[in-house]
Amino acid sequence: MELRLENLTKIFTNKTGTDTTAVDNLDITIESGTLVGLLGPSGCGKSTTLFMIAGLVKPTSGKIYFGDDDVTRLAAEKRGIGLVFQNYALYPHMTVYKNILFPLENMDVARDEAIQRVKDMANLVGIGELLDRKPAQLSGGQQQRVAIARALVKRPRVLLLDEPLSNLDARLRLQMREEIKRIQRETGITTIFVTHDQEEAMSISDKMVVLDFGVQQQYAGPQQMYNNPGNLFVAKFLGNPPINTFEAKIDKKHLIINEQKLMKVDLPDGTYDIGMRPENFRAASSDSKIKIEVDIKEIFHIGRDTMIHFEFNNQNMRALVDSEAVTDKSKKIDLTIKKERVYIFDKKTGKVIDHA
Ligand code: ATP
C-alpha cells in the first residue's frame, strides 16, 4: 500500500508559548512495499513523523494517506499499523505465544486462525521454538523478534520501526538488519525504519528520507543519495570517513584550488563549497586530467586500502587509495578524482550544482 504525506507539519508549543517546528511541510510519496529509512541527527523530527503516521501525535497541518484513504483524523487503533519500539515493550508476565497473540484478542479473528497466525509469524521471524518462554528468558535479539512478530500478526497496512536495533550489541545489530530486510521482503508491507545511524539506514533501506530541523533534505535510494547528494547537508551526513569539504573560487570558468586551476567548469565566477569523498581519489597517472599534488602528513593502512592525511587548500583532508600507491616512506603523491565526483554546492542554498 502506498503511503503519502502531504505538507505534513507539527509545531509543538510549550508552556511559555515558544513554538518548535518538529516537522516542517513534509511531502513524500512512499511506493507500496518499500522499506524507507527515516534518517537524520537527534531532534530532526524522525519520531514525530513516525508518531503522526501511527496516529499517536496529531499533525498541526497537512494530510496522511494510506492508499486512497485519508487517515489524518483516524484513531491510531483503526489505522492498521504495526509499531516496534527500541525497548521492545513486551508484556513480561506473558509467554512469547501470548505476547504475539495479544493484538488479535481484540480483533474479530477466529481462534484457530489466530493460533495459526501466531505460529506463522513466530516462524517467519525465527522464534518458532521459543513460544513457551517468558521475555526475561530471551536474548535482546529474540525479544526484538517477538516484538516484530507481534506487530505483524495483525497484518498491518504499514510497519513502523522506531530505532528497533539500538539496544542490541554490534554483531546482533548486523544480523537483525538482514533479518528485518528479509521479513519485510517476505511480507511486502510498506515499512518505515527510523534511525540516526547512516550506515544502518544505507544498509537496510530501499529508499531513504534525510531530515534536518524537520525539513526534508532528500528522498532517494541509498546509493543514489550517496553518489548524488542533493545538498551539502546530505553530503556531510552520509559517509564514514566523512566527505572532505572546503571553500574554493571559480574564476573565468576554472575551479581554483591552491591557486591552481583544478578543472574547467561552466559556472559563474564566485565562491562555492566543494566536496570530495575520500574513496573517490585515485593515484594519478600520466594521462589523468585532474591532478592534485599533495604532501602526505600521515599514513594509515586499512586492509587493502591506505588512508592518507594531507593538507589541501588550508584544510585537513583524507584520501583512501590503493595500498600499492604509497609506502610508509612516501612524502608526496599525485591524486586524481573524476570530474563528476567533485561536488560543487551553492554557498547560499547549499544545493548541489550539476556541472559535469
Ligand atoms: P532523536 O533521534 O533524538 O529521537 P528525533 O529526530 O526523533 O530525535 P523528535 O523526537 O521527533 O526528533 O523531535 C523533534 C523536535 O521536536 C525536537 O526539537 C524536540 O525537542 C521537539 N519535540 C518532540 N516532542 C515534543 C513535545 N512533546 N513537546 C515539545 N517539543 C517536542
Side-chain angles (χ1 to χ4, degrees):
M1 186 208 64
E2 182 186 277
L3 171 61
R4 191 150 50 89
L5 310 180
E6 219 177 71
N7 301 320
L8 197 63
T9 297
K10 179 68 194 180
I11 301 169
F12 289 107
T13 306
N14 71 10
K15 284 178 195 137
T16 57
T18 327
D19 286 347
T20 305
T21 305
V23 177
D24 195 354
N25 253 303
L26 208 51
D27 211 67
I28 307 178
T29 301
I30 295 171
E31 300 86 343
S32 180
T34 314
L35 197 171
V36 169
L38 189 54
L39 178 69
S42 181
C44 72
K46 303 181 291 292
S47 298
T48 305
T49 303
L50 202 77
F51 293 160
M52 284 196 283
I53 297 169
L56 303 174
V57 167
K58 205 172 145 228
T60 306
S61 59
K63 289 204 180 300
I64 302 167
Y65 290 93
F66 286 6
D68 292 331
D69 298 345
D70 179 351
V71 300
T72 317
R73 304 205 184 288
L74 199 64
E77 62 277 11
K78 294 200 175 137
R79 289 193 185 189
I81 44 133
L83 248 181
V84 177
F85 295 101
Q86 178 179 342
N87 59 6
Y88 326 130
L90 300 177
Y91 303 108
H93 58 285
M94 290 186 195
T95 60
V96 167
Y97 173 82
K98 282 263 169 68
N99 262 286
I100 303 174
L101 181 72
F102 189 77
L104 295 181
E105 302 220 304
N106 299 324
M107 284 171 70
D108 199 14
V109 180
R111 191 80 195 155
D112 287 353
E113 196 201 326
I115 293 169
Q116 194 55 47
R117 278 211 218 168
V118 171
K119 285 185 182 159
D120 289 347
M121 283 307 132
N123 287 333
L124 175 73
V125 303
I127 48 152
E129 309 299 308
L130 306 173
L131 288 171
D132 296 331
R133 297 223 194 145
K134 295 265 176 71
Q137 298 167 311
L138 301 175
S139 71
Q142 289 166 338
Q143 290 186 46
Q144 197 52 295
R145 285 169 195 262
V146 177
I148 294 169
R150 189 179 56 181
L152 290 173
V153 79
K154 290 177 288 184
R155 303 203 174 134
R157 298 199 278 177
V158 186
L159 180 63
L160 305 172
L161 307 158
D162 194 9
E163 303 252 5
L165 308 181
S166 304
N167 282 354
L168 305 179
D169 69 45
R171 200 176 53 86
L172 208 50
R173 272 178 95 132
L174 294 183
Q175 192 192 343
M176 283 303 287
R177 272 184 205 170
E178 289 177 14
E179 279 293 279
I180 287 178
K181 197 147 178 71
R182 175 187 65 79
I183 293 163
Q184 194 272 337
R185 278 224 189 88
E186 286 184 24
T187 57
I189 297 176
T190 310
T191 300
I192 301 189
F193 183 102
V194 163
T195 178
H196 62 271
D197 179 342
Q198 49 110 5
E199 199 198 317
E200 188 162 280
M202 296 265 302
S203 72
I204 203 167
S205 312
D206 298 321
K207 281 197 164 185
M208 307 196 297
V209 182
V210 173
L211 294 182
D212 186 32
F213 288 107
V215 179
Q216 179 186 333
Q217 304 293 308
Q218 196 168 0
Y219 178 47
Q223 285 309 315
Q224 160 81 2
M225 202 185 281
Y226 189 82
N227 289 326
N228 302 292
N231 62 30
L232 186 60
F233 179 85
V234 172
K236 283 176 154 176
F237 197 71
L238 299 184
N240 186 21
I243 191 167
N244 301 294
T245 57
F246 54 92
E247 263 186 5
K249 286 201 163 24
I250 291 177
D251 186 32
K252 299 190 190 80
K253 309 278 182 203
H254 282 93
L255 180 62
I256 310 292
I257 293 176
N258 278 356
E259 288 157 32
Q260 289 180 21
K261 291 176 180 170
L262 185 79
M263 62 184 204
K264 259 190 111 179
V265 275
D266 196 11
L267 294 175
D269 287 0
T271 306
Y272 294 82
D273 282 317
I274 310 298
M276 298 179 184
R277 291 207 183 278
E279 69 278 20
N280 286 338
F281 288 106
R282 299 278 175 274
S285 63
S286 52
D287 51 359
S288 299
K289 287 201 187 101
I290 295 176
K291 222 176 252 187
I292 307 167
E293 190 190 283
V294 304
D295 294 323
I296 298 176
K297 287 168 78 183
E298 282 188 86
I299 296 175
F300 301 92
H301 299 291
I302 315 163
R304 203 148 35 96
D305 295 323
T306 294
M307 176 76 77
I308 55 173
H309 288 195
F310 55 95
E311 203 168 283
F312 183 61
N313 220 40
N314 300 319
Q315 299 283 324
N316 290 319
M317 306 239 304
R318 293 188 252 208
L320 202 59
V321 293
D322 197 310
S323 289
E324 288 174 11
V326 280
T327 67
D328 284 335
K329 296 206 170 60
S330 298
K331 294 273 181 271
K332 280 183 190 299
I333 184 171
D334 283 338
L335 296 175
T336 188
I337 186 165
K338 283 187 183 154
K339 191 174 176 184
E340 67 268 25
R341 292 287 177 250
V342 178
Y343 304 111
I344 304 181
F345 303 95
D346 184 273
K347 274 240 55 87
K348 266 204 207 104
T349 64
K351 285 206 174 114
V352 77
I353 304 170
D354 191 7
H355 66 83

